C-alpha cells in the first residue's frame, strides 16, 4: 500500500477533510473517560521530529499518539546529531531504520517535509514548514469552528487579521476554510499582505472598519522570526496594536475570536479579548488533541469509512 503523507491542506479533498473532522468527533468520548486510551495504533511507531520550537503541536501530536497506544519518540534539532552537522537526508535515513509508520515533522525551511518524504517509507505529516503550510492547525481550526458555529460552515465569514505574509497558518487556513465553503477575508497592514493574495479567492481589507461582518475573527501574531533583519514591515508593535490589535470595542457581541497561539497579549490581542468567553483559543488547543488523533489514525488506516468498533473506540 502506498504511504499517505499530509504535507499540505491541498492534499485533502473536502470529503477527506470532513472524514478527519468526523473521526476526531468520534474520539471525543475517549478523551472524557478516566482511562483515556484506546488500542487503535498499538504496535505502530510515530516519531515527532521538531527542528523549530513548539508547545501546542508537539505536545498534542505526542499525546495523540499515546492516547492511541502507539510507540512514540521525540527528536529535536538541539541535542541531536544535527548539532554535529548531520544533514536532513541522513537524519531521516537514520530514523527510518527503526521502521516508523509516521514521521511528524516541523522545520524552518519551506519544502523540508516534502524532501524528507522522499527518503523514507514512513508517512510524513507536516507540523509546520517555514511560512508554507501547517495543515493540522487548519483541521483543528475547522473542528473548533464546527463545534462553535454548527457543522455547516458553508457561507460563514472569517476574517484572518495580522501578519498574513509570514504565516503558514494563514496559507493552510485560507485553503482549508474555502474547502469547507467559508468566505475568507484577510486584513492587515499592506506590507504584511502578500501581493497576489486575491488570486487565492480571498477579499482584502487594510482596515478593520467592516470587521462586524465576520462570524469569526482569526488573529495572527507578528512572525518576527521570519522577518528579514533590517526590513521594516511595520513602524512599531505599538502602532500595529493601535491599528489592528483586537479589543472588545472592535468586536461585535457574539463574534468568535480565534488564534493559533502563541499569543502576544497587548499586541494583536488585548488581555480582555484573550480571556473572553467568545474567544476560542483554549478550545482550539483542546481540539488539537482529538484532531491529531484522527490525523494519525487516518494516515495509517486510510480515508474509507470505518466503524467506531474497528477503531477500538466503542
Ligand atoms: N499553533 C502552533 O503551531 O503552536 P506551537 O508553535 O506551540 O506548536
Amino acid at each position: 500500500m502506498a504511504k499517505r503523507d499530509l504535507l499540505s491542506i491541498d492534499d485533502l479533498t473536502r470529503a477527506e477533510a470532513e472524514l478527519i473532522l468526523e473521526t476526531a468527533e468520534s474520539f471525543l468520548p475517549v478523551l472524557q473517560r478516566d482511562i483515556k486510551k484506546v488500542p487503535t495504533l498499538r504496535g505502530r511507531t510515530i516519531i515527532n521530529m521538531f527542528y523549530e520550537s513548539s508547545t501546542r503541536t508537539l505536545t498534542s501530536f505526542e499525546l495523540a499518539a499515546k492516547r492511541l497506544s502507539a510507540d512514540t519518540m521525540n527528536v529535536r534539532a538541539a541535542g541531536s546529531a544535527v548539532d554535529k552537522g548531520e544533514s536532513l537526508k541522513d537524519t531521516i535515513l537514520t530514523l527510518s531504520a527503526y521502521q516508523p509508520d509516521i514521521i511528524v515533522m516541523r522545520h524552518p525551511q519551506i519544502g523540508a517535509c516534502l524532501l524528507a518524504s522522499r527518503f523514507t517509507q514512513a508517512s510524513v505529516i507536516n507540523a509546520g514548514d517555514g511560512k508554507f503550510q501547517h495543515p493540522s492547525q487548519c483541521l483543528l481550526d475547522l473542528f473548533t469552528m464546527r463545534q462553535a458555529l454548527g457543522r455547516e460552515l458553508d457561507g460563514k465569514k472569517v476574517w484572518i487579521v495580522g501578519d498574513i505574509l509570514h504565516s503558514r497558518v494563514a496559507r493552510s487556513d485560507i485553503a482549508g476554510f474555502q474547502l469547507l465553503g467559508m468566505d475568507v477575508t484577510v486584513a492587515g497592514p499592506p506590507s504584511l499582505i502578500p501581493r497576489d493574495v486575491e488570486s487565492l479567492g480571498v477579499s482584502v481589507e487594510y482596515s478593520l472598519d467592516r470587521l462586524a461582518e465576520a462570524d469569526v475573527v482569526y488573529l495572527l501574531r507578528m512572525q518576527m522570526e521570519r522577518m528579514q533583519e533590517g526590513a521594516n514591515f511595520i513602524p512599531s508593535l505599538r502602532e500595529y496594536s493601535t491599528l489592528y490589535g483586537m479589543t472588545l470595542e472592535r468586536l461585535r457581541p457574539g463574534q468568535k475570536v480565534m488564534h493559533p497561539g502563541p499569543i502576544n497579549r497587548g499586541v494583536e490581542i488585548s488581555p480582555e479579548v484573550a480571556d473572553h468567553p467568545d474567544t476560542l483559543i483554549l478550545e482550539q488547543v483542546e481540539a488539537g488533541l482529538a484532531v491529531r488523533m484522527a490525523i494519525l489514525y487516518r494516515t495509517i488506516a486510510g480515508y474509507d469509512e470505518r466503524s467506531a468498533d474497528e477503531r477500538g473506540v466503542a
Side-chain angles (χ1 to χ4, degrees), residues 53-58 106 127 134 137 168-169 260-262 292:
S53 59
S54 171
T55 298
R56 283 145 282 266
T57 312
L58 176 57
R106 172 169 287 191
H134 196 350
Q137 178 70 47
R168 56 192 175 211
V169 173
R292 287 175 173 130

Side-chain angles (χ1 to χ4, degrees), residues 252-269:
R252 165 173 66 70
Q255 270 179 317
K256 301 296 180 195
V257 176
M258 296 174 67
H259 192 307
I263 64 171
N264 289 306
R265 286 173 187 254
V267 181
E268 74 274 10
I269 187 166

Side-chain angles (χ1 to χ4, degrees), residues 2 39 60 78 81 86 90 100 103 106 118 132 207 210 214 239 272 312:
S60 58
E86 189 170 64
D90 286 318
I103 296 176
R106 172 169 287 191
R118 295 199 182 130
F132 182 51
S207 78
R210 287 158 22 95
E239 190 156 329
E272 295 74 26

